[in-house]
Amino acid sequence: MRNVDVLLHRDFVIGTTDPRLFGAFVEHLGRCVYGGIFEPDHPTADKNGFRQDVLALVRELAPTIMRYPGGNFVSGYNWEDGVGPVAGRPRRLDLAWMSTETNAFGTNEFIDWCRAAAIEPMLAVNLGTRDADAARNLVEYCNHPGGTALSDLRREHGWARPHDVKFWCLGNEMDGPWQMEAKTPEEYGRIAVEAAKMMKWIDPTIELAACGSSGRRMPTFGRWEDAVLEHTFDHVEFISLHTYLNNYAGDTAAFIASCDLMDNFIDEVVAIADTVAARRRSDKRIMLSFDEWNVWYRTRRGRDARVKPGWPVAPPILEEIYNMEDALAFGGACISLLNHADRVKAACLAQLVNVIAPIMTETGGPAWRQTIFHPFAHFSNFGRGRVLRAVIDSPTYTASYLDPNGPQDLYFRLPAVPYLKLAAVHDEEAGLLTLFALNRSLTEDMPLQVRIEGFSRLEVAQSLQLCDADLKAVNTKEAPDRIAPRPLTAVRASGNRLDATLSPASWTVIRMAVSA
């Protein structure tokens, strides 16, 4: 491969990353809650039943905001079932995942877990089987200090201090026919605007995300966003996006190119939101909440992987085992989010533990990192700051990506995929510039030359690489570090230039001390 050249300048900036960009997702789904973050009988469990081995890994992963309780689950959830004395909470049939929900873990326990993990909570309200009244009641229960029936009920339940939840989602994927009480855009827009009004009347400090369509492949995509924002524009700050990358076709080159479709998706939703603003002659800009994203396909299509018979409690479903090539596609998605920091202000990796997750556990046993853990930990720990606009001169390849998640299989043609995908983040306070680089060549080293203008000093502080000759290699309980970052030695800085050699099919992070 010929040299790949990159030009960066300190003053050419896309945007600054919002802390909420590095979020994740906990849903009452499979073993995400029960046996994941919450397992009272586990040897490491604290007095609240929170697994401390999981919390240690979560702190290392460093998510900043956590979406809860769904997902599909929320469209049939009665929040009142999950508060009050645990012994008196009802057991319910969950129609989202055909399991039994014990309600042993609910809103207050989630808030306590977030505080233990130093993570901001993000709550979704049920706009499927419930209505705007239930939504505003939950805000009163969570955020009002006291002196009313619902705020005093929270205090009676043992939480005198308001939860002060600032970020709220107005339902989930309401155009999906799999959703409980799915809606047309007009039906959803009307209930969403009424919920938004009342929720903000109770607490004017909250921020709200309206549901976007369930995916770019949905027949409703585009028209849904436009109609929903016509209703909710004056009352919400965000519109949501959801995407799951796949390798159904068994085409690795296309798979690790598929993250580029996230860039297209983001640009399209931005255009729709700004069209609504233009029609209203408004200078308000709706931001994007990419509140579900991940690699997911092995446990997605077959019913046996999604549903277990007999309405079990916390069945082992959607437990995707991630390999090295998954980590590459996943890392590319991280880069896409960084490079849209001007408009994507919140994002949630779906999900956190066991269910399509970076962390796996054995009930009663250990917890370990999946391969995708490492790119996310780099993204979250090192991605805070000003994202610089990179000019990249890279050879390209063509790919055809299969996306069957719609009424029919569809191939997206990607005519010019750069072998290098890159993001650069400048942390002014720490004096560090971090490069996140994905070499999509499966067979060749990539000689990389980066010219960096606007800084008086460049010094390599740290360089890490994630790669393996076996792209199907995974981490397991027995070999939890089979795939893990290793130091990259083929890197040096001289003057305003960085030279590095990136291994084939690799994710690389290079951190440089810089001075203005």
Side-chain angles (χ1 to χ4, degrees):
M1 179 182 287
R2 67 173 175 82
N3 285 355
V4 174
D5 297 314
V6 177
L7 173 63
L8 299 169
H9 194 289
R10 182 184 182 279
D11 296 332
F12 296 167
V13 179
I14 294 170
T16 299
T17 58
D18 190 291
R20 291 168 169 167
L21 186 67
F22 312 100
F25 183 18
V26 165
E27 182 172 0
H28 284 255
L29 195 180
R31 296 191 309 121
C32 186
V33 173
Y34 306 111
I37 65 172
F38 179 75
E39 190 180 336
D41 294 331
H42 193 271
T44 71
D46 66 9
K47 63 182 176 62
N48 293 316
F50 304 154
R51 283 185 60 155
Q52 296 301 293
D53 58 342
V54 172
L55 266 174
L57 289 175
V58 170
R59 294 185 183 109
E60 181 183 336
L61 190 70
T64 50
I65 191 168
M66 196 67 57
R67 185 171 173 235
Y68 174 87
N72 295 348
F73 174 81
V74 77
S75 291
Y77 182 53
N78 301 322
W79 68 265
E80 301 91 340
D81 292 347
V83 299
V86 173
R89 296 182 190 178
R91 293 165 68 93
R92 302 282 191 193
L93 295 183
D94 168 31
L95 302 184
W97 304 108
M98 299 299 168
S99 57
T100 297
E101 174 55 51
T102 68
N103 285 304
F105 186 98
T107 301
N108 295 319
E109 289 82 12
F110 173 69
I111 296 297
D112 280 352
W113 184 87
C114 285
R115 287 174 177 163
I119 293 172
E120 179 186 357
M122 175 194 294
L123 291 185
V125 297
N126 176 359
L127 295 184
T129 62
R130 301 297 295 277
D131 56 16
D133 191 51
R136 62 109 171 183
N137 285 343
L138 181 56
V139 176
E140 182 180 334
Y141 180 89
C142 287
N143 286 10
H144 197 66
T148 66
L150 290 171
S151 59
D152 285 347
L153 183 63
R154 183 198 69 244
R155 297 171 68 91
E156 290 171 18
H157 291 160
W159 283 264
R161 176 175 141 205
H163 296 332
D164 199 27
V165 178
K166 295 302 184 187
F167 198 115
W168 296 77
C169 304
L170 296 169
N172 174 74
E173 295 185 355
M174 292 311 303
D175 64 336
W178 56 86
Q179 211 68 219
M180 286 170 270
E181 295 201 18
K183 292 174 170 56
T184 68
E186 294 298 333
E187 290 169 340
Y188 170 73
R190 287 293 303 132
I191 191 174
V193 74
E194 294 304 318
K197 277 168 33 181
M198 291 192 289
M199 292 166 75
K200 285 194 170 181
W201 286 343
I202 289 173
D203 186 348
T205 69
I206 65 175
E207 294 179 284
L208 300 174
C211 277
S213 56
S214 304
R216 191 173 178 233
R217 284 283 284 111
M218 291 293 292
T220 48
F221 171 60
R223 185 174 62 86
W224 174 278
E225 282 78 4
D226 186 81
V228 165
L229 285 175
E230 275 294 336
H231 284 283
T232 61
F233 186 88
D234 294 328
H235 300 275
V236 304
E237 288 71 38
F238 296 87
I239 186 81
S240 71
L241 299 80
H242 292 177
T243 282
Y244 293 100
L245 306 178
N246 77 76
N247 193 18
Y248 288 119
D251 183 340
T252 300
F255 179 35
I256 59 178
S258 64
C259 49
D260 290 8
L261 295 172
M262 285 181 66
D263 299 283
N264 298 343
F265 188 18
I266 291 166
D267 291 342
E268 289 161 359
V269 175
V270 166
I272 295 165
D274 289 353
T275 297
V276 177
R279 282 203 301 264
R280 303 168 77 91
R281 279 66 168 178
S282 174
D283 60 1
K284 177 180 178 178
R285 291 296 175 261
I286 298 291
M287 296 299 158
L288 276 55
S289 176
F290 218 127
D291 50 36
E292 284 189 35
W293 69 272
N294 202 343
V295 170
W296 179 28
Y297 64 99
R298 298 173 187 87
T299 60
R300 187 169 187 180
R301 301 188 82 182
R303 183 174 174 82
D304 289 347
R306 293 185 290 109
V307 173
K308 301 298 181 185
W311 301 93
V313 174
I317 57 175
L318 276 59
E319 298 195 358
E320 197 97 345
I321 304 302
Y322 290 109
N323 61 27
M324 182 62 222
E325 71 178 5
D326 296 326
L328 297 175
F330 183 98
C334 294
I335 291 172
S336 292
L337 293 172
L338 289 170
N339 283 334
H340 289 87
D342 55 333
R343 293 301 289 268
V344 181
K345 295 299 183 180
C348 298
L349 162 63
Q351 293 189 12
L352 184 67
V353 187
N354 290 325
V355 175
I356 53 172
I359 299 169
M360 286 296 293
T361 75
E362 179 179 81
T363 301
W368 62 95
R369 305 167 191 84
Q370 291 230 64
T371 62
I372 64 171
F373 181 102
H374 300 293
F376 189 93
H378 295 155
F379 164 66
S380 183
N381 283 290
F382 305 149
R384 319 293 177 89
R386 303 157 66 248
V387 182
L388 305 187
R389 192 174 301 278
V391 179
I392 299 173
D393 181 10
S394 168
T396 63
Y397 66 98
T398 61
S400 189
Y401 171 69
L402 171 64
D403 188 351
N405 299 311
Q408 61 182 7
D409 288 1
L410 180 70
Y411 279 90
F412 285 97
R413 182 76 172 161
L414 294 162
V417 179
Y419 280 103
L420 175 69
K421 190 173 179 77
L422 179 138
V425 181
H426 176 214
D427 182 339
E428 290 183 285
E429 184 176 341
L432 290 167
L433 177 64
T434 301
L435 305 184
F436 302 86
L438 176 64
N439 179 7
R440 295 192 271 208
S441 172
L442 304 181
T443 58
E444 294 185 56
D445 286 340
M446 176 182 288
L448 175 65
Q449 297 177 352
V450 186
R451 198 169 91 238
I452 306 169
E453 304 288 355
F455 296 101
S456 61
R457 177 180 69 101
L458 294 174
E459 182 180 332
V460 176
Q462 185 181 29
S463 53
L464 298 168
Q465 189 163 259
L466 194 72
C467 63
D468 197 278
D470 180 4
L471 293 181
K472 304 301 182 183
V474 302
N475 290 343
T476 64
K477 179 181 71 171
E478 294 76 21
D481 297 317
R482 171 71 175 81
I483 301 295
R486 306 282 186 253
L488 174 67
T489 56
V491 57
R492 65 183 180 88
S494 178
N496 68 340
R497 179 169 146 174
L498 176 85
D499 289 274
T501 301
L502 309 184
S503 299
S506 62
W507 161 264
T508 301
V509 175
I510 300 171
R511 310 196 77 203
M512 292 169 283
V514 295
S515 300

